Amino acid sequence: MTTDTADRTTGTNERRREQRGWYFYDFACSVYSTSVLTVFLGPYLTAVAKAAADADGFVHPLGIPVRAGSVFPYAVSVSVVVAVLVMPLAGAAADRTGRKKPMLAVAAYVGAAATTGMFFLEGERYLLGAFLLIVANASLSVSMVLYNAYLPQIAEPEERDAVSSRGWAFGYTSGALVLVLNLVLYSGHDSFGLSESAAVRICLASAGLWWGAFTLVPLRRLRDRRVAPSGEGAVGSGWRQLLATLRDMRRHPLTLSFLLAYLIYNDGVQTVISQASVYGSEELGLDQTTLITAVLLVQVLAVVGALGMGRLARTHGAKRTILASLAVWTLILAAGYFLPAGAPVWFFALAGAIGLVLGGSQALSRSLFSHLVPRGKEAEYFSAYEMSDRGLSWLGPLVFGLAYQLTGSYRDAIISLVVFFVLGSVLLTRVPIKQAVAAAGNPVPERI
């Protein structure tokens, strides 16, 4: 074996080792997205808020009348605003210092601690629940900026669709595994000597413990790429770097065009994920066991969908595959609007359809964007991406909450989200992806 061949083999082995470690952050944090945000916290926080509500069904945080059913989506929106303020600074600081890993650790463990603290959410403590949700959700968003920014560094261009899809598959696998345990605990809470409320609080807190424990794997496997120190203060230079990043992104209008399309359609995706359990419990009258089973079905099929859509992308290109998934999302919302109450079989069918497109649409969007990022600006640009992914996904929950606030109907709220998928599809269609990759200074894959 020649020296060059040996070096390439060593480099490939190191890259594979980092990739395997990278997958495990999805494995760690996806349990929060699944068990907390998608399944338990929405209905439970809504119930806590209703317990604190007046005779008209309103709570009054800071003296503002808020319908109890709108507390959860409003808290999600506030968490996004907080994330918007922090994520660009984290991205700029990571690129400037090259120290993504310590920053990832801080964000992950703040989020894990807030999630674990949800064990104390009971009685009428809806403000505590909203606060912990805001902290955990914002922390997750910041950590995902840093996590996603590793993708261009640990995967070659032709690998990224597959590596990104495997990451999502790892996440959905962990989500499914923990949901099975949650289902056993929740369904059999009487036999464990627990009240229903105590079982839910244990499920919420266990997600935080899982998040913290498995974050140790990527922290051991991933490595920082050192850069020359700038000598600037972290906060001041972070804001200056943010402005510089925004100016720099104007030099890449096609990358911005993709981000705009992604911002729109992903806002719809994130809102459907976060509000599905509330819709199922409040509008369709389904019990918590049915909701857990439905989300478990989503998790299992999302693994298949993420890997399957990754293969479709190799044949048809990532852009076409994403567009096809957005058409399916539109049909899902239309079907959800007409879904009969008290019919779990139809709800399961809808959950299955969501699972097949959920992982793939997110994984391919992430890998597609990685081709549009100029070298050396990964964390900065992924902070903008994460603002689209989680950070600017405030409009969907706000629209959902306002629609319910004004009409009292969750059906009207859910159908209002169709516009995000239709408009996002139109905008994505207009982006010339190969031209955008070349304009970012990156090699253009044969099929994208």
Side-chain angles (χ1 to χ4, degrees):
M1 180 182 296
T2 66
T3 301
D4 287 345
T5 302
D7 289 344
R8 284 196 297 270
T9 301
T10 300
T12 299
N13 290 338
E14 290 178 354
R15 193 170 72 250
R16 294 283 187 267
R17 184 177 188 275
E18 280 197 276
Q19 289 172 4
R20 288 191 290 270
W22 186 80
Y23 299 149
F24 266 92
Y25 191 68
D26 258 321
F27 192 84
C29 70
S30 291
V31 172
Y32 166 83
S33 299
T34 303
S35 291
V36 177
L37 199 61
T38 304
V39 177
F40 287 107
L41 189 57
Y44 186 69
L45 182 57
T46 300
V48 172
K50 285 183 175 180
D54 60 20
D56 296 321
F58 286 82
V59 291
H60 300 269
L62 303 177
I64 302 171
V66 175
R67 193 184 291 269
S70 295
V71 169
F72 176 68
Y74 285 168
V76 173
S77 290
V78 172
S79 74
V80 167
V81 174
V82 173
V84 165
L85 297 176
V86 180
M87 286 192 302
L89 301 181
D95 281 335
R96 189 181 65 256
T97 65
R99 294 179 61 79
K100 295 183 184 70
K101 191 158 66 171
M103 298 173 66
L104 174 62
V106 171
Y109 284 108
V110 169
T115 305
T116 305
M118 291 176 185
F119 178 79
F120 302 102
L121 175 59
E122 57 183 337
E124 299 181 359
R125 298 176 179 173
Y126 76 95
L127 285 176
L128 174 64
F131 172 75
L132 293 175
L133 168 60
I134 290 166
V135 173
N137 232 28
S139 297
L140 178 65
S141 297
V142 172
S143 72
M144 291 302 291
V145 168
L146 305 162
Y147 167 70
N148 286 334
Y150 274 103
L151 180 59
Q153 297 179 335
I154 65 173
E156 298 297 327
E158 65 275 6
E159 297 179 305
R160 290 179 197 167
D161 285 349
V163 170
S164 183
S165 294
R166 288 190 200 110
W168 282 108
F170 261 61
Y172 288 119
T173 299
S174 74
L177 174 61
V178 173
L179 269 182
V180 170
L181 300 176
N182 290 160
L183 182 59
V184 171
L185 178 63
Y186 179 82
S187 300
H189 61 81
D190 287 334
S191 61
F192 290 109
L194 298 171
S195 66
E196 181 178 356
S197 172
V200 170
R201 291 186 291 115
I202 290 172
C203 290
L204 292 172
S206 66
L209 296 175
W210 181 283
W211 184 358
F214 283 99
T215 295
L216 292 172
V217 179
L219 293 181
R220 288 181 60 87
R221 292 287 184 92
L222 294 173
R223 62 184 179 87
D224 283 332
R225 277 75 174 170
R226 299 291 180 178
V227 297
S230 66
E232 295 181 287
V235 176
S237 62
W239 283 109
R240 288 192 291 273
Q241 184 62 61
L242 170 60
L243 296 176
T245 300
L246 294 176
R247 287 194 297 268
D248 184 74
M249 291 187 74
R250 289 162 54 191
R251 298 171 48 239
H252 302 282
L254 296 179
T255 299
L256 282 175
S257 296
F258 174 82
L259 270 179
L260 178 60
Y262 180 69
L263 182 156
I264 299 297
Y265 71 73
N266 188 66
D267 206 344
V269 171
Q270 296 298 325
T271 306
V272 172
I273 293 171
S274 66
Q275 306 303 322
S277 287
V278 175
Y279 183 72
S281 63
E282 298 295 322
E283 184 68 35
L284 302 182
L286 302 175
D287 59 35
Q288 192 73 49
T289 300
T290 299
L291 297 177
I292 296 172
T293 305
V295 175
L296 179 59
L297 179 63
V298 170
Q299 297 300 112
V300 172
L301 291 180
V303 177
V304 178
L307 298 177
M309 287 181 64
R311 292 184 179 181
L312 285 175
R314 290 199 293 270
T315 304
H316 302 287
K319 178 181 174 180
R320 289 183 179 179
T321 307
I322 293 170
L323 286 170
S325 76
L326 298 182
V328 176
W329 275 109
T330 302
L331 294 175
I332 286 171
L333 286 180
Y337 178 79
F338 294 104
L339 209 63
V345 173
W346 289 108
F347 192 71
F348 290 149
L350 208 62
I354 289 175
L356 290 175
V357 293
L358 175 60
S361 59
Q362 292 177 317
L364 292 178
S365 296
R366 177 169 64 185
S367 64
L368 188 56
F369 181 71
S370 72
H371 292 282
L372 309 182
V373 178
R375 287 188 181 275
K377 297 181 180 294
E378 291 86 3
E380 290 179 40
Y381 274 62
F382 265 107
S383 70
Y385 173 86
E386 192 64 24
M387 286 169 67
S388 300
D389 187 5
R390 300 177 196 272
L392 289 184
S393 295
W394 57 269
L395 185 58
L398 181 61
V399 168
F400 188 95
L402 286 173
Y404 178 74
Q405 175 106 356
L406 296 173
T407 68
S409 168
Y410 282 107
R411 292 185 187 273
D412 292 337
I414 203 72
I415 199 63
S416 68
L417 302 178
V418 166
V419 67
F420 292 97
F421 295 102
V422 174
L423 182 57
S425 297
V426 171
L427 293 174
L428 180 58
T429 302
R430 298 171 62 86
V431 180
I433 295 297
K434 289 189 175 182
Q435 186 179 338
V437 176
N442 294 320
V444 180
E446 182 177 348
R447 188 177 297 278
I448 191 171

